[in-house]
Amino acid sequence: MSDELGGLYGVVLAGGTGTRLWPLSRAGHPKFLHPLTGTDASLLQATVDRLDLLAPMDRIFVVTGVAHAAAVSRQLESIPEANVLVEPSPRDSCAAIALAAAVIARRDPEAIMGSFASDHLISDKEGFTEVIRKAMVGAREGLLMTLGITPTRPETGYGYLQCGNAIGDGPVLAVEEFKEKPTYDVAEGYVKSGNYLWNAGMFVWRVDAFLAELTRQQPQLASGISRIAQAWDTGAREEVLGEVWPTLPRISVDYAVMEGAATVGRVGTVTGDFGWNDVGDFHTLGEVLAADPSGNVIVGHDLEQKSGVLLRETEGLVVVPTQGRLIAAMGVRDLVIVDTPDAVLVIPRERAQEVKSLVDELKELGQHGYV
Amino acid sequence: MSDELGGLYGVVLAGGTGTRLWPLSRAGHPKFLHPLTGTDASLLQATVDRLDLLAPMDRIFVVTGVAHAAAVSRQLESIPEANVLVEPSPRDSCAAIALAAAVIARRDPEAIMGSFASDHLISDKEGFTEVIRKAMVGAREGLLMTLGITPTRPETGYGYLQCGNAIGDGPVLAVEEFKEKPTYDVAEGYVKSGNYLWNAGMFVWRVDAFLAELTRQQPQLASGISRIAQAWDTGAREEVLGEVWPTLPRISVDYAVMEGAATVGRVGTVTGDFGWNDVGDFHTLGEVLAADPSGNVIVGHDLEQKSGVLLRETEGLVVVPTQGRLIAAMGVRDLVIVDTPDAVLVIPRERAQEVKSLVDELKELGQHGYV
């Protein structure tokens, strides 16, 4: 079946800082570079490894910024150098995805591409692979496919997909509307209705279908990307990138393309239940990684050996040790304790989202060294 | 009045690890070397500084072990090298105090000496000075004086002094008996009766009176110390110390001398209320240092600048930062958070005493590097 469909081109977006994972995640060392997976693999490496049943390594592309190009390249040694696309400056997700689509289209104009965040955890790789294969069926028909996650709670931190009828006789549902992060009451209504899915921000489409929608809805962005793509394999690439890239609008792919495409019936979804987690904060990270019998989760290196952590009479902790240092805790519960080479964080799990505000405060205080 | 009485010889005992202050206090860097005073001064330095209204620097002696001789010498630059008495091995407090008494007696046979722990905090220096002057009156009469603290709670972590009648017309009370650390019920009875004081472990006496009691009660120890003292100012000092010191009994001065002296009416006390704290653990340390309006105490360096600590919506914390690193905490209360170059501790204040058991566990695990 995989042969019948042709392979997938995988695009991994390695951008964003992950402020709610401070002090582990920093502007200089964002979360996708960290081993938050319960193994030695970074989130970025796990994202690429997860695609190996779908795409050979020479069909995997990563889009990243100038600050992390070197680290990303070294973590992903198995993908070709030419597949590391480095943005001159951050222009949000639409430009990044469009660049990858245009570069891939030069090689294979009808290629099916999947776009994936580099900082999500997925526990069921086979289930994930199966869902992507289903999405590829819709993509082959020309639909822009977005992956929907069956909601398990009225989460206010995610966007939602409002679903319509099945398209054809397959598993593909039409997406009628993209809904922004809702209030709690609205989210409760979504979950009860059964018609809404979490928007996981993972997309599968034919590059020609996507670029056509981009041209229809975002002509300026499309024409800039087109100029860059034409120069891509020439000596003028850096010149053109440097000139055109800064003029591209900063806009997310949801706003720029997906919402408008849904309105005209060009977006479909398949439901994924493959243990997806966006690793937004330490609390949710603790929910997906393996815990000890007291519910304590130790993240990162030394998971087997645990030599860097001493817990006595603790419950429900999320502990992030750093190499060569010890964290000792006794008689506390439901706390996040993070140690890094220059900063320690202690916060209740239920307030883990608010780490962001601590980072904001450090910036206000001019303590940029810690941010 | 100070001239009339003659000066004091101050003896500071710089020994002991302070296990309950782990991970700040280590075998290699015990608590008296740390700035736990709310200023840049270490506990040891503060102890010496506190004596400056009573004794000139050349009359201040410090007794320490081989492991900390260098650090102690450097922290106390203003006292003469000859006044740093280094024990070849730990033999408990009686040998340490007897050595100092014998060395002082060679210079001034009727000298009045005060013996002080190096790891206590005293907030009212003037009150302390006044109490020592009162104790010197009793000492001049030949009494072994011990300082008593008016108990403010039924503390089970201290020994107690059972007091008798006033001696003469001064402030000096007879001490009838030394009581070991009591149970809570017994301690409650002590506090209610009004006849008991906390035994602060600070002594004032004439060196000849102390050495006479030592000879009477501990003839072996007294004769060993006497041999060492005779060799002190000769080329044989190290030879004799090395031979005799290891044969001295390991015994505290309370058991060895003070209890027996009390039985025969030779111990007196004066009451001190000068903000005494033995800095036994992080909780009690937090009780004596200045807190912010939310009751958070930041210990050690950077007290003014607080650059290494970011607290949001926290109450009652005791935070011990380390240089060049940040501790950030939000939404937690009544915790001890200690950061050191190689270990972090998080524990509720009410369990601060139990840090000792974590250290024991680390030893059992063979993690001696952290102990």
Side-chain angles (χ1 to χ4, degrees):
Chain A
M1 181 165 172
S2 169
D3 278 351
E4 191 182 325
L5 286 171
L8 182 79
Y9 285 78
V11 174
V12 175
L13 305 178
T17 302
T19 305
R20 286 172 298 164
L21 290 178
W22 181 90
L24 193 66
S25 184
R26 305 285 179 103
H29 201 67
K31 68 174 168 174
F32 55 80
L33 295 174
H34 287 276
L36 299 175
T37 59
T39 73
D40 281 344
S42 71
L43 287 169
L44 173 67
Q45 289 169 322
T47 302
V48 169
D49 292 347
R50 188 184 303 132
L51 296 172
D52 70 353
L53 300 175
L54 294 160
M57 282 296 155
D58 70 337
R59 288 190 175 186
I60 293 180
F61 292 75
V62 58
V63 187
T64 191
V66 290
H68 309 303
V72 166
S73 304
R74 288 178 186 170
Q75 285 205 356
L76 303 180
E77 282 193 332
S78 54
I79 76 169
E81 279 171 25
N83 291 16
V84 179
L85 312 184
V86 184
E87 309 171 290
S89 59
R91 307 310 291 172
D92 214 327
S93 61
C94 192
I97 288 175
L99 175 64
V103 168
I104 292 168
R106 288 174 59 83
R107 200 198 291 185
D108 180 352
E110 293 192 351
I112 295 179
M113 129 182 185
S115 168
F116 307 98
S118 59
D119 52 5
H120 294 176
L121 268 181
I122 287 172
S123 57
D124 176 9
K125 178 178 163 181
E126 284 68 30
F128 167 78
T129 302
E130 199 49 48
V131 170
I132 297 297
R133 288 208 171 112
K134 286 178 187 165
M136 288 169 74
V137 176
R140 192 155 292 272
E141 303 299 316
L143 290 170
L144 307 190
M145 298 296 295
T146 180
L147 262 55
I149 309 290
T150 308
T152 55
R153 60 182 185 274
E155 172 67 52
T156 58
Y158 301 150
Y160 285 71
L161 306 172
Q162 184 189 338
C163 302
N165 295 326
I167 294 174
D169 53 3
V172 177
L173 297 175
V175 171
E176 294 183 341
E177 208 171 326
F178 283 73
K179 299 286 193 184
E180 292 189 57
K181 294 176 185 176
T183 62
Y184 188 86
D185 289 348
V186 171
E188 259 191 330
Y190 288 172
V191 175
K192 276 185 194 150
S193 80
N195 286 332
Y196 291 79
L197 300 173
W198 286 336
N199 177 9
M202 292 184 272
F203 307 107
V204 180
W205 49 54
R206 279 208 331 256
V207 289
D208 58 349
F210 172 76
L211 290 170
E213 269 301 304
L214 185 73
T215 302
R216 184 177 76 81
Q217 296 189 59
Q218 304 288 335
Q220 190 208 334
L221 210 161
S223 112
I225 290 293
S226 170
R227 280 189 61 198
I228 292 168
Q230 280 162 30
W232 196 256
D233 293 319
T234 74
R237 185 205 292 189
E238 288 195 328
E239 196 72 34
V240 175
L241 250 185
E243 182 195 328
V244 176
W245 191 265
T247 70
L248 300 180
R250 262 181 200 262
I251 187 168
S252 78
V253 73
D254 291 65
Y255 286 116
V257 174
M258 298 306 286
E259 292 185 1
T263 308
V264 297
R266 291 182 188 154
V267 177
T269 186
V270 285
T271 310
D273 296 301
F274 36 66
W276 172 78
N277 186 288
D278 79 338
V279 197
D281 58 61
F282 288 113
H283 172 59
T284 57
L285 180 62
E287 285 189 327
V288 291
L289 297 183
D292 72 14
S294 304
N296 302 301
V297 173
I298 298 168
V299 180
H301 321 273
D302 286 316
L303 195 75
E304 294 300 310
Q305 208 181 343
K306 289 192 183 178
S307 65
V309 177
L310 177 64
L311 304 182
R312 275 265 292 265
E313 297 167 48
T314 65
E315 284 174 46
L317 301 189
V318 178
V319 178
V320 188
T322 195
Q323 209 126 32
R325 289 172 45 84
L326 175 72
I327 294 181
M330 183 183 212
V332 290
R333 57 185 300 162
D334 299 327
L335 290 181
V336 172
I337 305 176
V338 184
D339 188 31
T340 68
D342 65 350
V344 177
L345 171 72
V346 180
I347 194 168
R349 281 183 70 158
E350 63 180 16
R351 301 190 66 174
Q353 296 250 359
E354 297 177 56
V355 168
K356 196 175 181 315
S357 71
L358 286 177
V359 176
D360 293 341
E361 190 164 338
L362 283 170
K363 284 181 191 161
E364 280 162 30
L365 291 169
Q367 298 273 5
H368 297 285
Y370 292 119
V371 178
Chain B
M1 181 165 174
S2 169
D3 277 349
E4 193 183 327
L5 285 173
L8 181 80
Y9 285 77
V11 174
V12 175
L13 304 178
T17 303
T19 305
R20 286 172 298 165
L21 290 178
W22 182 89
L24 193 67
S25 184
R26 305 284 179 102
H29 201 66
K31 69 174 168 175
F32 55 78
L33 296 174
H34 286 277
L36 299 174
T37 58
T39 73
D40 281 344
S42 70
L43 287 169
L44 173 66
Q45 290 169 322
T47 302
V48 169
D49 291 347
R50 190 184 301 131
L51 296 172
D52 70 353
L53 301 176
L54 293 160
M57 282 296 155
D58 70 338
R59 288 190 174 185
I60 293 180
F61 291 76
V62 58
V63 187
T64 191
V66 291
H68 309 304
V72 166
S73 304
R74 286 176 188 171
Q75 284 205 358
L76 302 180
E77 282 194 332
S78 53
I79 77 169
E81 280 171 27
N83 291 14
V84 179
L85 312 185
V86 184
E87 307 172 290
S89 59
R91 307 310 292 172
D92 215 326
S93 61
C94 190
I97 287 175
L99 175 64
V103 168
I104 292 168
R106 289 174 59 82
R107 200 198 292 186
D108 180 352
E110 294 193 351
I112 294 179
M113 130 182 183
S115 168
F116 307 98
S118 59
D119 53 3
H120 294 177
L121 269 180
I122 287 172
S123 58
D124 176 8
K125 178 178 163 181
E126 283 68 31
F128 168 78
T129 302
E130 198 48 48
V131 170
I132 297 298
R133 289 209 170 114
K134 286 179 187 166
M136 288 169 74
V137 176
R140 192 155 291 271
E141 304 298 316
L143 290 170
L144 306 191
M145 297 297 297
T146 180
L147 262 55
I149 309 289
T150 306
T152 54
R153 59 182 187 276
E155 173 67 51
T156 58
Y158 299 151
Y160 285 72
L161 306 172
Q162 183 190 337
C163 300
N165 295 328
I167 294 176
D169 53 0
V172 178
L173 296 176
V175 172
E176 294 182 343
E177 208 171 326
F178 282 72
K179 299 286 192 183
E180 290 189 58
K181 293 175 184 176
T183 62
Y184 189 86
D185 289 348
V186 171
E188 261 192 327
Y190 288 171
V191 174
K192 276 186 193 149
S193 80
N195 285 333
Y196 291 79
L197 300 173
W198 286 336
N199 177 7
M202 291 185 272
F203 307 107
V204 181
W205 50 53
R206 276 204 337 249
V207 289
D208 57 349
F210 173 76
L211 291 170
E213 269 302 302
L214 185 74
T215 302
R216 183 177 77 83
Q217 296 188 60
Q218 304 288 335
Q220 191 209 335
L221 210 161
S223 113
I225 290 291
S226 171
R227 279 190 62 196
I228 293 168
Q230 279 162 32
W232 196 257
D233 293 319
T234 74
R237 184 203 293 189
E238 288 193 328
E239 197 72 33
V240 174
L241 250 184
E243 182 196 328
V244 175
W245 190 265
T247 70
L248 300 180
R250 261 181 202 262
I251 187 167
S252 79
V253 73
D254 292 63
Y255 286 117
V257 174
M258 298 307 285
E259 292 184 0
T263 307
V264 296
R266 290 182 190 155
V267 178
T269 187
V270 285
T271 310
D273 296 301
F274 35 67
W276 173 77
N277 186 289
D278 80 337
V279 197
D281 59 60
F282 288 113
H283 172 59
T284 56
L285 180 62
E287 285 189 324
V288 290
L289 298 183
D292 73 13
S294 303
N296 302 300
V297 172
I298 298 168
V299 180
H301 321 271
D302 285 319
L303 195 75
E304 294 300 310
Q305 210 179 342
K306 288 193 183 179
S307 64
V309 177
L310 178 64
L311 304 181
R312 276 266 291 266
E313 298 168 47
T314 65
E315 284 174 45
L317 301 189
V318 178
V319 179
V320 186
T322 195
Q323 209 127 32
R325 290 172 46 84
L326 175 72
I327 293 180
M330 185 182 210
V332 289
R333 55 184 301 162
D334 299 326
L335 290 181
V336 172
I337 305 175
V338 184
D339 187 29
T340 69
D342 65 351
V344 177
L345 170 72
V346 180
I347 194 167
R349 281 182 71 157
E350 62 181 16
R351 299 189 67 175
Q353 297 250 357
E354 297 177 57
V355 167
K356 197 173 179 319
S357 71
L358 287 176
V359 176
D360 292 341
E361 191 163 339
L362 285 169
K363 284 180 190 161
E364 280 163 29
L365 292 168
Q367 298 273 5
H368 297 285
Y370 291 121
V371 178

